[in-house]
Amino acid sequence: MVLIWAPLAALLALAAARTKTPLLDDGTRTRNKAAECVFGKQVRELGSQWIPDLGTPIGVLYCMKCECVALQKKRRVVARVQCRSIKNECPEPTCAEPVHHPERCCKTCPGDLYDSDIIQDVVPQNVLDDEEKSSTKHYSALLTERSSLVLKNDYKLISNNQNKNNVVATGRFSFHKKNLYFSFYISDKAARPRSLQFADSEGNILEEFQLSRAGGLVNSLYQNATRKVCGVWRRVPHEYRKRFRQEKMYVVLVWGGDFTLSGQVMKYAALATENFSSLLEPSAGTSNQMTGAGGTAMVSFSTSVSTSIYLAVVFNGLFGADDVADVPLNVTLSLDDKKYILQEVVRVKKPHYELNMIEVRSPVTSADLRLLTRGRLLLTVSSVSKPEALRLSGSVMTKVTCELFQTTLASSPSDHNPHGTSGLAWLYLNNEGSLVYHVQINNLRSTPDNTTIITLVDMTTRRRTELEDLTPSFDFANGWANGTLAKLSPKVLEPLYSGDLAVNVATPNDTSLIRGRLVAKPVAEARDAPAPFLLKRENYTLPTSAVGLAWLYVDNDCCIHYDVTLWGLGSNDRKLELSLELLPMLAPGANNITRHLDEFQGNQVEGSPVDALNREEINRLENGVGFLKVNEKDTKITLLAATFRHVIVPSTCQSPPPDNDVRSIDDAGMGPSGDCLDEGKFYQEEAQWTSSANPCTMCFCQNGVNKCFTMECPEVICPAPYKLIKFPGECCPICGNSTSLIETNRNVPQKCIFNGQPYSPGSRFHPFLIPNGFDSCTVCTCNPVYLEIKCTRISNGKECCKNCVDYSMNGTFPGDDEVPLLAGIVPRKELPNKSAKQILAEGGCQNLYDLKRPYANGTEYHPSIDSLGEYKCVTCKCENGKPSCRRECDRAACDLIFKMKKKQRQQTGKWNSAQSCCTPRLCKKYRHKKNHRSLKS
């Protein structure tokens, strides 16, 4: 029973009022794994204890102890956080005047050395346990119908009629620190399993991993090419690691319905030197006694002293009812079941129903080893007494372990590499035993014949031996060499598995311009991505040898995983940080999202943030452009960076938008966070700009949408001897002569500036006003003497509104000066005695025509133009930094105009549209509307 401290409820209630708290769900998607606890942004191992920190404003609760405990929920064991008060557990002080120290719960006496209230993790974080330093890191499992595991979950053990195809599987498990990497081979007759479960001997599920989506699909280039099942169990709890060492852990592969295979995880010495594997299945024509039986083999070879081969075979099902002790078995290794490479008779002293093991070591020829490396040999284990009825067989192929081989390509710091040439390489063996390679070279300078030689080199001895030439597949234009080596020999595989194989790049001037030794890495999470990225040098104070290799991957929980390897940065004591910058596209002004990933020292970092990616981050990873940066922590200087596009995102993370009308960034003008996209450049809200295609077209950004208008220039009549000339980049012509164009080259201010746009002396134009565009009823002129803008209204309505309909025949007239069209408009408030910076910080809006006089938050105003004054036909309101504007013309105003039409005609005989905010077209529109509402432009 868990005791909850009484004041904790009040503290949690207070924490709930905050935007985020480590104890409560803030809406961010996080991991939910059965064998670990997530507390705030930290992952806690099962069995660990700590003092909770609730962050601001609550802080650390020194009299509380939290623990990650295992709870039984039906047939599953799950980890949960439990917290309790330790105040009542404080020992009674032995002195008369105990002291209560800061950041402590219990009172202590001066000089006391024992601190009962200081809590440390029972399982220390980031510290290797003793068993992790031991040599026992590799395990194997044979998954058949004959497992002794009694499942206590929703899936029952497979029965004979459910496994008609005699499906068998084998797994390999390897510990790297506290992380367990797992790999499986499964019979070709079976689809990919849905999930993997780790269970104890009683069938309780300790942890479970999803292996595929519906239909057995998986987003993995490596797993699809090798037919392997790969993954990792990170931060295996101390208690569960102990179960592996004691061989008390089971694995279960789950398909749909009741179809499962299970097996016990065992330790085998042969796993440390395994080069090849074999999955043994009942051969065709065997008896029903073989149903549910299977086996696996660990194969290795050696060429150091003499050429030999070693087999360790784990199996079941080859014994009859009378086979009790000292049972002989035939072991053969053959080419197409005809030519025998190996024939041995091995005796099993005490046969077991579930697991048996035999070992064979035999000398072979070099030609036999070539057949082995090319996947052409068949391994068969059969009963001596009933060889046709009791027999298992399977091809010898690439070993089960999911692994690839990678390296950065760089020069030594002392080598001459003036252009900073660098690169990367990664290779893997497919299910046919062929070596698939990918090599990327950056900043490789061209030579007269573009001669570049890329080779695989054996580094076992001081004399480097070139084994394979990759040059024929190299494309100098894009810097890539991609291909497959189909006929591998032992001389390639032996240094590959021992870590002595390197990639060397040579040029006519340098026999080893850049190079790198291939290192085996398990495939899971980040390294399960289709390809790595090259981290290129961004800070040129670094040596030319600086380079990096990075993997990025998004899992089904929408969490991003990263794995970064660096080379040539110098001291390993340098403090570095890894960050991710995401843009919708490469364009000036594009809004970027930055996510801090990790802080580290050294040349290697891998991991994953606890919280999942949000929707905008996922969209940009999939459709935008990203930058992975390695920065110096103290100076924030970027040292290395990689550019990437189109990261594969699982379908579970691609949630549809809540509103079907929401457009993507590729739609007309819609950019990130309300920005506008035009001609490959982003513009923020309220910004206005001139189109590069047409200087007469101006646009502005409103609510993430581009609004563009094209101006018709006012008429200009030039006196003799001047004529109309037009300057580059300007819309309207002016009167001038041939010397006017020459004078513009002088380095003196010769233009007027209006609303951020330059105008030549003598220019005549219509002002651009948001939100209505160009005001054709106002003409502005650039005074050629004082270089000042003067604007005037046009009194003739037909002159400024050439496309308006003449309503003189149907009795509709616009209003005049006496019509109170602007009644009820709140005048602009006087600005308080605050600076422009303070007003904008409090939610004010910029005044595009006077940057020193912004509008305060909540203010209604008419936009003002120098020399013209307030433009009262438009009313704007500033709301939290964003202005919303409307044109002052509604149905009520037009009704007043219609009522006064006779008086207006009798007195003036015309419609004085220059004095009205309403045009004939607008009033005609309101004439046919029944509802009263403002017209918004």
Side-chain angles (χ1 to χ4, degrees):
M1 180 176 178
V2 180
L3 299 177
I4 302 296
W5 186 37
L8 180 60
L11 290 174
L12 294 181
L14 177 60
R18 300 187 305 146
T19 304
K20 288 188 177 182
T21 172
L23 287 180
L24 302 177
D25 184 12
D26 60 4
T28 304
R29 196 172 179 182
T30 58
R31 291 188 183 89
N32 183 22
K33 294 189 176 180
E36 62 187 22
C37 299
V38 177
F39 188 85
K41 299 298 181 183
Q42 292 184 330
V43 178
R44 297 285 181 170
E45 183 178 318
L46 191 65
S48 61
Q49 299 176 356
W50 65 95
I51 297 174
D53 183 359
L54 301 189
T56 306
I58 299 174
V60 180
L61 304 180
Y62 293 101
C63 287
M64 294 291 296
K65 181 176 78 171
C66 292
E67 186 176 4
C68 184
V69 300
L71 299 179
Q72 187 83 30
K73 294 187 68 175
K74 296 184 178 180
R75 299 183 179 97
R76 295 179 182 268
V77 177
V78 296
R80 290 292 183 267
V81 175
Q82 290 185 350
C83 299
R84 61 184 176 85
S85 171
I86 59 172
K87 196 169 185 178
N88 296 329
E89 300 176 10
C90 292
E92 192 70 26
T94 57
C95 58
E97 297 181 355
V99 180
H100 192 181
H101 293 283
E103 301 182 357
R104 296 284 299 277
C105 178
C106 301
K107 292 183 179 181
T108 58
C109 294
D112 282 354
L113 300 177
Y114 175 69
D115 298 324
S116 60
D117 57 348
I118 294 180
I119 301 174
Q120 296 179 345
D121 286 348
V122 173
V123 183
Q125 302 291 316
N126 302 320
V127 177
L128 290 178
D129 294 336
D130 292 337
E131 74 272 8
E132 292 171 339
K133 299 178 183 178
S134 65
S135 59
T136 307
K137 296 182 179 180
H138 304 286
Y139 301 85
S140 176
L142 174 63
L143 289 80
T144 66
E145 184 182 350
R146 304 194 177 202
S147 170
S148 60
L149 179 65
V150 179
L151 293 179
K152 293 186 177 181
N153 57 6
D154 296 335
Y155 309 107
K156 300 178 182 178
L157 276 174
I158 189 170
S159 59
N160 292 341
N161 58 357
Q162 289 178 310
N163 192 12
K164 297 179 181 179
N165 293 325
N166 285 327
V167 176
V168 183
T170 182
R172 300 291 185 269
F173 310 88
S174 179
F175 272 106
H176 293 253
K177 296 183 179 180
K178 295 181 181 180
N179 304 322
L180 179 70
Y181 289 87
F182 53 82
S183 314
F184 290 92
Y185 265 143
I186 303 171
S187 301
D188 294 340
K189 297 169 286 189
R192 187 180 179 88
R194 185 182 66 193
S195 64
L196 167 67
Q197 297 174 352
F198 288 89
D200 59 19
S201 57
E202 296 181 355
N204 296 311
I205 302 174
L206 307 179
E207 188 60 281
E208 185 171 13
F209 297 90
Q210 181 182 352
L211 299 179
S212 65
R213 306 193 311 272
L217 301 177
V218 59
N219 291 326
S220 172
L221 176 67
Y222 177 87
Q223 296 187 50
N224 290 328
T226 60
R227 286 191 55 82
K228 296 179 182 179
V229 174
C230 312
V232 60
W233 180 358
R234 293 205 175 272
R235 298 172 295 273
V236 180
H238 172 83
E239 183 63 28
Y240 295 169
R241 297 197 299 271
K242 183 178 178 181
R243 288 178 179 269
F244 277 99
R245 297 196 310 273
Q246 296 174 346
E247 297 183 338
K248 294 182 179 180
M249 187 70 76
Y250 289 78
V251 288
V252 185
L253 291 175
V254 181
W255 283 263
D258 296 333
F259 185 17
T260 65
L261 288 179
S262 62
Q264 186 177 2
V265 180
M266 304 290 289
K267 297 179 290 186
Y268 299 105
L271 292 169
T273 59
E274 184 179 19
N275 301 126
F276 301 91
S277 302
S278 181
L279 182 63
L280 305 177
E281 304 172 81
S283 303
T286 55
S287 66
N288 294 333
Q289 186 180 343
M290 293 293 297
T291 301
T296 182
M298 293 150 274
V299 184
S300 60
F301 68 91
S302 175
T303 60
S304 56
V305 180
S306 62
T307 305
S308 62
I309 191 172
Y310 168 76
L311 306 175
V313 185
V314 179
F315 64 95
N316 57 35
L318 292 179
F319 306 108
D322 300 332
D323 297 331
V324 178
D326 198 28
V327 182
L329 296 176
N330 289 320
V331 180
T332 62
L333 197 61
S334 61
L335 173 65
D336 301 329
D337 207 16
K338 297 178 181 178
K339 178 185 176 181
Y340 289 95
I341 308 301
L342 181 150
Q343 285 182 302
E344 293 283 345
V345 176
V346 182
R347 293 184 174 273
V348 179
K349 293 183 179 180
K350 187 176 180 180
H352 293 275
Y353 177 80
E354 182 179 4
L355 291 176
N356 303 271
M357 180 179 175
I358 57 175
E359 296 177 283
V360 176
R361 188 183 301 273
S362 174
V364 293
T365 65
S366 299
D368 295 337
L369 276 187
R370 284 195 294 271
L371 295 176
L372 176 69
T373 58
R374 295 173 185 177
R376 299 184 59 184
L377 298 184
L378 180 71
L379 175 63
T380 303
V381 182
S382 61
S383 170
V384 172
S385 59
K386 300 178 181 179
E388 297 299 326
L390 303 176
R391 184 170 62 171
L392 295 170
S393 62
S395 298
V396 179
M397 49 192 173
T398 307
K399 66 177 180 178
V400 180
T401 305
C402 296
E403 64 181 353
L404 53 80
F405 306 88
Q406 68 176 40
T407 183
T408 55
L409 301 177
S411 58
S412 297
S414 59
D415 290 350
H416 181 65
N417 185 5
H419 305 300
T421 305
S422 61
L424 58 81
W426 85 100
L427 306 82
Y428 65 88
L429 293 163
N430 62 17
N431 63 331
E432 297 176 353
S434 301
L435 185 66
V436 181
Y437 62 87
H438 303 277
V439 181
Q440 179 186 3
I441 304 176
N442 181 58
N443 277 346
L444 182 63
R445 300 297 175 171
S446 61
T447 58
D449 55 355
N450 289 338
T451 303
T452 302
I453 302 174
I454 306 174
T455 54
L456 293 179
V457 179
D458 185 0
M459 307 285 288
T460 305
T461 61
R462 298 184 64 180
R463 181 182 178 183
R464 301 172 181 174
T465 305
E466 294 185 357
L467 302 179
E468 296 288 348
D469 187 6
L470 311 182
T471 308
S473 61
F474 180 60
D475 185 349
F476 190 89
N478 61 24
W480 282 92
N482 302 306
T484 303
L485 298 176
K487 296 181 180 181
L488 289 182
S489 63
K491 66 180 182 180
V492 174
L493 287 179
E494 197 165 23
L496 178 66
Y497 283 128
S498 64
D500 294 319
L501 190 66
V503 177
N504 185 73
V505 179
T507 63
N509 300 324
D510 197 331
T511 58
S512 183
L513 177 63
I514 55 175
R515 56 200 170 274
R517 189 186 295 257
L518 292 164
V519 178
K521 294 284 187 177
V523 175
E525 294 180 342
R527 286 188 294 270
D528 205 11
F533 306 107
L534 178 64
L535 286 163
K536 304 177 184 177
R537 190 169 53 123
E538 289 286 316
N539 188 326
Y540 286 88
T541 63
L542 294 175
T544 56
S545 59
V547 67
L549 181 152
W551 298 84
L552 287 178
Y553 174 78
V554 180
D555 63 18
N556 292 323
D557 294 325
C558 308
C559 293
I560 190 166
H561 300 263
Y562 53 86
D563 181 273
V564 177
T565 301
L566 306 178
W567 172 264
L569 288 185
S571 173
N572 289 337
D573 297 331
R574 174 181 277 176
K575 296 180 180 180
L576 305 172
E577 61 181 11
L578 187 68
S579 63
L580 194 66
E581 291 188 8
L582 303 174
L583 286 78
M585 63 176 60
L586 284 178
N591 187 302
N592 71 302
I593 298 174
T594 301
R595 172 180 274 254
H596 176 79
L597 296 180
D598 210 338
E599 296 178 0
F600 66 101
Q601 290 178 272
N603 296 322
Q604 173 73 31
V605 62
E606 63 175 321
S608 175
V610 174
D611 54 331
L613 298 167
N614 59 43
R615 181 181 167 190
E616 181 64 24
E617 290 173 328
I618 291 172
N619 183 44
R620 294 191 181 190
L621 275 173
E622 190 175 23
N623 303 310
V625 181
F627 297 92
L628 185 68
K629 296 186 176 182
V630 177
N631 303 324
E632 197 166 38
K633 180 181 177 181
D634 297 332
T635 63
K636 305 300 180 184
I637 296 176
T638 300
L639 304 179
L640 299 170
T643 305
F644 57 88
R645 301 172 186 265
H646 309 304
V647 174
I648 296 178
V649 176
S651 58
T652 54
C653 303
Q654 299 169 343
S655 57
D659 186 354
N660 291 332
D661 294 332
V662 175
R663 298 177 294 175
S664 68
I665 61 173
D666 296 327
D667 290 339
M670 177 64 74
S673 305
D675 292 352
C676 296
L677 175 64
D678 183 59
E679 298 176 340
K681 184 176 180 180
F682 282 98
Y683 298 90
Q684 295 182 352
E685 182 76 8
E686 305 178 29
Q688 62 184 59
W689 64 95
T690 302
S691 172
S692 60
N694 183 2
C696 293
T697 299
M698 289 195 68
C699 308
F700 69 94
C701 179
Q702 188 176 60
N703 299 324
V705 179
N706 301 342
K707 293 191 175 181
C708 299
F709 302 86
T710 301
M711 176 177 62
E712 292 185 8
C713 294
E715 184 179 0
V716 178
I717 300 176
C718 298
Y722 298 99
K723 60 180 180 179
L724 290 176
I725 61 173
K726 189 175 181 180
F727 291 103
E730 293 192 15
C731 173
C732 299
I734 65 171
C735 295
N737 51 33
S738 59
T739 61
S740 300
L741 295 174
I742 300 175
E743 292 178 354
T744 59
N745 295 327
R746 298 175 185 173
N747 294 324
V748 293
Q750 296 184 3
K751 295 190 177 184
C752 300
I753 303 298
F754 178 79
N755 201 14
Q757 300 295 323
Y759 295 91
S760 296
S763 298
R764 286 168 54 86
F765 59 93
H766 300 301
F768 184 76
L769 304 174
I770 297 175
N772 296 321
F774 292 101
D775 181 10
S776 58
C777 291
T778 300
V779 176
C780 298
T781 304
C782 175
N783 187 299
V785 178
Y786 301 104
L787 296 179
E788 293 180 351
I789 297 291
K790 299 293 183 182
C791 300
T792 57
R793 295 283 290 174
I794 299 175
S795 58
N796 189 341
K798 291 186 178 179
E799 181 179 343
C800 69
C801 190
K802 299 178 181 180
N803 297 324
C804 294
V805 180
D806 184 2
Y807 291 93
S808 59
M809 299 302 296
N810 58 19
T812 58
F813 295 88
D816 60 7
D817 304 350
E818 300 176 1
V819 181
L821 295 179
L822 303 180
I825 298 301
V826 179
R828 177 181 174 182
K829 299 178 182 179
E830 293 297 326
L831 289 175
N833 189 19
K834 296 181 180 180
S835 66
K837 186 176 181 181
Q838 287 177 316
I839 295 174
L840 294 175
E842 294 173 355
C845 302
Q846 284 188 348
N847 184 345
L848 300 178
Y849 309 101
D850 188 355
L851 297 179
K852 296 181 181 179
R853 298 183 63 200
Y855 301 105
N857 190 18
T859 302
E860 285 194 357
Y861 59 92
H862 303 300
S864 178
I865 305 174
D866 291 341
S867 77
L868 183 61
E870 288 186 326
Y871 190 66
K872 295 187 177 182
C873 290
V874 173
T875 300
C876 301
K877 184 176 182 180
C878 178
E879 295 179 344
N880 298 322
K882 292 187 177 181
S884 58
C885 301
R886 68 181 185 275
R887 186 181 180 108
E888 290 300 333
C889 180
D890 56 16
R891 181 186 175 100
C894 289
D895 287 344
L896 289 174
I897 293 173
F898 297 144
K899 292 179 182 179
M900 299 180 65
K901 62 180 180 179
K902 292 183 179 180
K903 180 181 177 180
Q904 183 74 21
R905 290 189 64 183
Q906 291 172 358
Q907 293 179 354
T908 64
K910 63 179 181 179
W911 185 319
N912 190 2
S913 60
Q915 304 297 323
S916 172
C917 292
C918 296
T919 63
R921 179 175 297 177
L922 290 175
C923 284
K924 183 180 180 181
K925 181 177 181 180
Y926 281 117
R927 187 74 168 167
H928 300 286
K929 288 184 178 290
K930 295 181 180 180
N931 57 327
H932 291 246
R933 61 181 179 180
S934 296
L935 175 64
K936 295 184 179 180
S937 177

